[in-house]
Amino acid sequence: MKIRDLGQEIPGLILIDDFVTEKEEAELVDQVNQRPWSGLGQGPNPELKRRTQQYGHLFSYRYRKVLEEYGPLPSFIDPVVQRIMSHQLMPESPNHLLVNEYNEGQGIMPHIDAPALFGPAILSLSLLSACLMKFTHATTGHSIDVILPRRSMVVLTGNARYNYKHGISKDLVETALDGTIIQRAQRISFTFRQIIAWEVPPEADGCGCHSNKDDKKSID
């Protein structure tokens, strides 16, 4: 593994290359492909335009709250969770795993994971394909593009977690600032979070980004 502290650009942003091996990547993908997917008309989140799986807890995108506790995360993810905790990347062991499948032409709108629902660290593991993730400050508009290589883990804490929206474009081909060209292909991401509440209080901003309704639909 190679840990890259991107805190000079955005405090709290870390990227870890080769967080899992090629063999582990293949095993993780095989495990989720053996399990039922949600989205694209299939419950429990049939309205989503991409396929997803959730473990630990069920989060409703439609109602923007946690609906059910499933129990412990599945054993197939134990080695990854143990690695997360051994490197002290989260203050507590994750109790929610969100698996997203992004096919060519699929992305996700800029958003901040709901501060009222999810804990202080958001981690996302990229499998099968690289992508470009854009981070944009919710107030100042300052933005940077970060390449998320295949098998890398991105860690959002502090400023990166609470003040920057993050999103992925729908572009089939992406070009980074350094000239790196990314040909988008199927990508599966594993997002690890700690559920700290089941519902956003009425007075709270659901996504934490103080923006429009479209952003609030993007709670990930």
Side-chain angles (χ1 to χ4, degrees):
M1 291 190 298
K2 177 184 177 183
I3 300 177
R4 289 188 274 163
D5 187 348
L6 304 180
Q8 289 187 340
E9 290 284 353
I10 298 178
L13 183 61
I14 296 174
L15 184 64
I16 306 175
D17 294 304
D18 299 316
F19 194 82
V20 297
T21 65
E22 291 185 10
K23 180 180 178 181
E24 288 173 324
E25 175 190 48
E27 291 171 348
L28 291 171
V29 172
D30 181 63
Q31 286 289 338
V32 295
N33 280 331
Q34 292 181 37
R35 291 165 166 77
W37 291 89
S38 172
L40 300 177
Q42 298 296 317
N45 284 296
E47 71 278 4
L48 291 179
K49 303 302 182 183
R50 63 182 184 277
R51 298 201 302 171
T52 69
Q53 295 179 18
Q54 295 192 56
Y55 299 95
H57 290 76
L58 171 62
F59 174 76
S60 170
Y61 293 83
R62 178 180 298 172
Y63 300 109
R64 297 194 291 278
K65 64 181 181 179
V66 178
L67 298 180
E68 184 179 349
E69 182 176 357
Y70 287 152
L73 300 187
S75 59
F76 75 82
I77 204 65
D78 284 350
V80 178
V81 172
Q82 291 168 6
R83 203 164 299 161
I84 288 171
M85 299 311 295
S86 68
H87 286 82
Q88 300 180 331
L89 300 178
M90 298 183 73
E92 296 184 42
S93 186
N95 62 7
H96 184 234
L97 169 61
L98 170 65
V99 181
N100 277 312
E101 178 192 58
Y102 298 95
N103 289 312
E104 295 179 12
Q106 289 184 314
I108 187 166
M109 293 173 60
H111 68 283
I112 295 174
D113 292 42
L117 298 183
F118 306 114
I122 307 293
L123 280 65
S124 188
L125 177 66
S126 296
L127 303 177
L128 298 181
S129 176
C131 76
L132 202 65
M133 179 169 279
K134 178 179 287 293
F135 291 83
T136 305
H137 195 281
T139 303
T140 68
H142 169 255
S143 68
I144 66 168
D145 292 336
V146 176
I147 298 175
L148 305 185
R150 181 177 179 175
R151 302 193 309 280
S152 69
M153 179 78 84
V154 64
V155 182
L156 282 64
T157 62
N159 205 14
R161 156 74 177 104
Y162 291 112
N163 297 320
Y164 276 80
K165 302 178 189 180
H166 57 279
I168 300 170
S169 78
K170 298 179 180 180
D171 297 341
L172 298 178
V173 179
E174 298 176 314
T175 304
L177 290 177
D178 64 1
T180 301
I181 296 176
I182 300 172
Q183 180 70 49
R184 292 281 295 277
Q186 182 197 31
R187 173 177 172 266
I188 292 178
S189 68
F190 283 49
T191 299
F192 298 87
R193 298 183 287 204
Q194 178 72 25
I195 300 287
I196 59 174
W198 280 39
E199 188 169 1
V200 177
E203 68 276 9
D205 175 20
C207 69
C209 45
H210 309 288
S211 189
N212 58 35
K213 293 181 181 179
D214 289 337
D215 286 329
K216 289 190 178 182
K217 294 177 182 177
S218 300
I219 296 177
D220 191 15

